Amino acid sequence: MTDRTESIESMEQLALVWRAMVLDRDPDADVRDLPGIAVRWADCRFAFWNCVTLTEVDADTALVGERLRQAADIMRAKQHPGFLWLFEDLLDAEARARVRAEAEKAGLEYAFPGTGMAGDFLPIPEPAHPELTFARVTTDDHLRAYADLNSRAYGFPLEDGRDGLLGSTLWKKQAHAYLGLRDGVPVTCAATVEADGRLFVVLVATAPEWERRGYGEAVTRKALYEGARATGLTRATLHATTAGAPVYPRIGFRPNSPIGFYSLAQ
């Protein structure tokens, strides 16, 4: 694949996976494909389930500005905050250079960076870590632990993560979601879901006090190993935060489009 093709793939994977996640959270969620904008908005307390993204390729500065204003209007109409995910490599060169200024005009502010990644490297060997055991998420207690790890890792109140995940059938039945346990206590987690012939890695998190021990990499490998074994898929995709970006190339991922996350300006 070319870099641009992988960037398009990254955006399309977000739109596909988030459709499933948001509708799992609320069958009446705002899930729409508008001209140039995909809306995936559960309007719940878990901000990652409240998402809009721009979908056009080679959009110029004027069009990007228009879409940013439209996206901001959608976000303002919601009860709970969320993020605009902007895949920067989908914009033309001038629009990439001016996108933050255009976002500011639209009433958006830059929140944090991310990176799309993908690779054809599955299957992988069964992973192990000397300090961890792994448990698949199959119960409400497992899912609560998974939600709490994400809330703690990303700085959300515990109730926010629980509002996004508790009660889900998808996470207990369809996702290959795993906890990494140290002495029986959940300290890290990762999941993969099947999405249009790929395994998509989602919601990787490690308790802050247990970072930098290889736990996140180990549990991500576990989710990929089990997902690939169950589906036979050979390609995987994900969206990495700054903290995770150095880890995933060790597994086999290659970066493609930078992602800018934007929230409504305060």
Side-chain angles (χ1 to χ4, degrees), residues 153-209:
Y154 294 107
F156 299 145
L158 294 184
E159 287 305 318
D160 288 11
R162 293 173 183 179
D163 190 42
L165 293 177
L166 291 190
S168 170
T169 299
L170 183 153
W171 278 84
K172 291 184 290 185
K173 300 292 186 181
Q174 298 176 39
H176 304 278
Y178 283 84
L179 298 169
L181 298 93
R182 179 188 168 101
D183 299 326
V185 177
V187 294
T188 190
C189 61
T192 56
V193 294
E194 186 172 356
D196 190 26
R198 291 97 164 152
L199 278 181
F200 184 88
V201 178
V202 62
L203 295 190
V204 178
T206 299
E209 67 271 24

Side-chain angles (χ1 to χ4, degrees), residues 229-243:
R229 189 169 68 157
T231 65
L233 296 174
T234 59
R235 184 168 179 80
T237 59
L238 58 77
H239 301 125
T241 62
T242 300

Side-chain angles (χ1 to χ4, degrees), residues 113-124:
T115 306
M117 294 190 179
D120 296 286
F121 56 84
L122 298 172
I124 57 173

Side-chain angles (χ1 to χ4, degrees), residues 57-253:
V57 180
D58 276 331
D60 61 19
T61 301
L63 182 55
V64 169
E66 179 183 349
R67 296 299 187 228
L68 289 171
R69 289 189 293 273
Q70 292 171 331
D73 286 343
I74 291 168
M75 296 167 74
R76 288 190 193 97
K78 304 304 183 183
Q79 179 180 357
H80 293 287
F83 296 106
L84 166 74
W85 298 47
L86 198 148
F87 294 81
E88 296 176 4
D89 279 357
L90 300 189
L91 313 181
D92 76 11
E94 180 186 358
R96 283 198 299 273
R98 293 184 52 82
V99 66
R100 292 201 193 184
E102 292 299 318
E104 185 175 340
K105 290 180 187 177
L108 297 165
E109 62 185 9
Y110 187 79
F112 55 90
T115 306
M117 294 190 179
D120 296 286
F121 56 84
L122 298 172
I124 57 173
E126 183 171 8
H129 191 288
E131 299 171 8
L132 298 179
T133 57
F134 300 110
R136 186 168 184 179
V137 172
T138 57
T139 70
D140 289 337
D141 286 343
H142 288 158
L143 197 52
R144 181 177 291 102
Y146 199 108
D148 289 355
L149 283 167
N150 272 270
S151 293
R152 294 187 62 209
Y154 294 107
F156 299 145
L158 294 184
E159 287 305 318
D160 288 11
R162 293 173 183 179
D163 190 42
L165 293 177
L166 291 190
S168 170
T169 299
L170 183 153
W171 278 84
K172 291 184 290 185
K173 300 292 186 181
Q174 298 176 39
H176 304 278
Y178 283 84
L179 298 169
L181 298 93
R182 179 188 168 101
D183 299 326
V185 177
V187 294
T188 190
C189 61
T192 56
V193 294
E194 186 172 356
D196 190 26
R198 291 97 164 152
L199 278 181
F200 184 88
V201 178
V202 62
L203 295 190
V204 178
T206 299
E209 67 271 24
W210 294 112
E211 292 177 343
R212 303 187 184 280
R213 294 172 179 261
Y215 293 175
E217 179 177 346
V219 75
T220 300
R221 287 180 179 273
K222 177 64 173 178
L224 285 164
Y225 170 80
E226 296 293 351
R229 189 169 68 157
T231 65
L233 296 174
T234 59
R235 184 168 179 80
T237 59
L238 58 77
H239 301 125
T241 62
T242 300
V247 172
Y248 300 120
R250 296 200 293 264
I251 300 175
F253 288 94

